[in-house]
Amino acid sequence: MRKVLSIPMIWLLLATAQASAAPWRFVTEDFPPFTYPADTPANTDAGVGAGGPLVEVVQTVCVRLQQDCTITLYPWRRALRLAEQGQADGIFTLVRSPQRQQIFHITRMLVTSHYSVFARDDSTFVFHQPSDMAGRRVGVYGPSGTSYVLSERLKAVPDVDFHLTADNRRLLRMLQSGRFGKEGLAVLNQDVAWHLIEDEHLDGLREAGEMGPITYGIGLSRKTVSETQFMAFEHALDEAIADGTVPSILRRYQLEPAF
């Protein structure tokens, strides 16, 4: 159940957020169609500017709070490390988990997607239930929310050989080239996978079944962002949803809202 704030409290929260002199630093990853490099074709350890629908959502909230914000794209492991250490004030896209909630204030979930199992065209595998993956080598993007959710869902399945790869493009290329074996599999976000398959012209891959829905939100560091500042951020986000701004952004990118 979401908190209902009084008008005086809302103004107090907004005033508190606006009084923050230091810019907030957000980090994200190359995770199209949700986030991607704004002006350069590939990310580097130094980071590049970010674009995409969730970037636009964060920018909208920062404008409403009159809060200066920067958003930089890094490889996910570096982005997560920066945010966990408090060297970044916010991070997205974030999957809600008990571990993440200890480190971050997490907003309401904003977009819904699905996890799907992908296989090579020359494999006859069809996914119906987790036990179907017993004894198989499964590639997954990680360590990430995807690898966390997958490990939870396959806890009781014997002999699954997980292979963590820190880049979704590389993961799909490895599946395509047979690095996981003819009967190897990969589990990815469905939207991301189809975007990359089309963008990278990755022939010979198919979707073998859907594992279930997944939702993503925005995390703000508990080390650098106070509870009051987070409540102000969340209220501004709620307003942007209620007046149609956020739904309009998501519709433009053909994404499914989670709210």
Side-chain angles (χ1 to χ4, degrees):
M1 184 175 178
R2 301 187 66 76
K3 299 174 183 175
V4 178
L5 303 178
S6 67
I7 296 299
M9 178 59 73
I10 290 170
W11 283 111
L12 175 61
L13 293 175
L14 292 175
T16 301
Q18 292 165 5
S20 175
W24 282 352
R25 181 187 183 195
F26 285 86
V27 292
T28 186
E29 59 177 329
D30 184 7
F31 198 57
F34 305 100
T35 53
Y36 43 77
D39 300 310
T40 49
N43 54 11
T44 67
D45 198 53
V48 299
L54 290 187
V55 171
E56 291 185 25
V57 170
V58 171
Q59 289 170 335
T60 294
V61 174
C62 289
V63 168
R64 290 179 181 230
L65 292 175
Q66 298 179 30
Q67 170 69 48
D68 289 335
C69 297
T70 63
I71 305 174
T72 309
L73 185 148
Y74 293 95
W76 177 247
R77 290 182 186 180
R78 177 157 170 74
L80 184 60
R81 185 167 66 250
L82 289 169
E84 287 177 338
Q85 294 174 351
Q87 296 178 48
D89 303 291
I91 185 170
F92 56 96
T93 55
L94 208 63
V95 172
R96 192 184 300 278
S97 71
Q99 181 184 12
R100 296 275 166 83
Q101 287 180 291
Q102 290 179 4
I103 302 170
F104 302 108
H105 309 282
I106 301 178
T107 65
R108 64 155 73 192
M109 296 293 99
L110 295 173
V111 291
T112 296
S113 188
H114 297 82
Y115 285 138
S116 285
V117 182
F118 285 80
R120 288 162 49 100
D121 280 347
D122 56 4
S123 167
T124 60
F125 177 82
V126 177
F127 176 81
H128 297 290
Q129 56 194 5
S131 60
D132 294 338
M133 302 177 81
R136 292 179 180 269
R137 190 166 204 208
V138 181
V140 60
Y141 177 46
S144 66
T146 306
S147 59
Y148 166 78
V149 171
L150 183 63
S151 64
E152 288 294 302
R153 293 184 183 178
L154 299 186
K155 259 183 181 177
V157 180
D159 302 323
V160 180
D161 180 15
F162 290 108
H163 181 93
L164 297 185
T165 302
D167 181 272
N168 277 310
R169 286 182 172 84
R170 185 164 184 267
L171 174 62
L172 287 170
R173 290 194 194 105
M174 290 175 72
L175 177 66
Q176 181 193 42
S177 66
R179 289 282 298 277
F180 304 140
K182 178 182 174 181
E183 296 299 324
L185 306 169
V187 174
L188 292 86
N189 175 291
Q190 187 183 67
D191 290 313
V192 173
W194 282 118
H195 180 97
L196 292 176
I197 286 170
E198 293 177 13
D199 193 54
E200 303 278 329
H201 307 291
L202 298 172
D203 298 326
L205 299 179
R206 63 180 179 85
E207 190 170 347
E210 192 175 290
M211 290 196 74
I214 184 67
T215 55
Y216 299 104
I218 301 163
L220 278 76
S221 170
R222 293 185 181 273
K223 288 186 176 181
T224 64
V225 177
S226 70
E227 183 72 30
T228 302
Q229 288 174 314
F230 172 68
M231 288 175 67
F233 185 94
E234 197 166 41
H235 173 72
L237 175 61
D238 287 346
E239 279 193 330
I241 290 171
D243 68 17
T245 303
V246 171
S248 176
I249 292 171
L250 299 185
R251 277 197 305 272
R252 190 154 31 88
Y253 289 90
Q254 299 180 326
L255 296 178
E256 180 184 349
F259 41 85

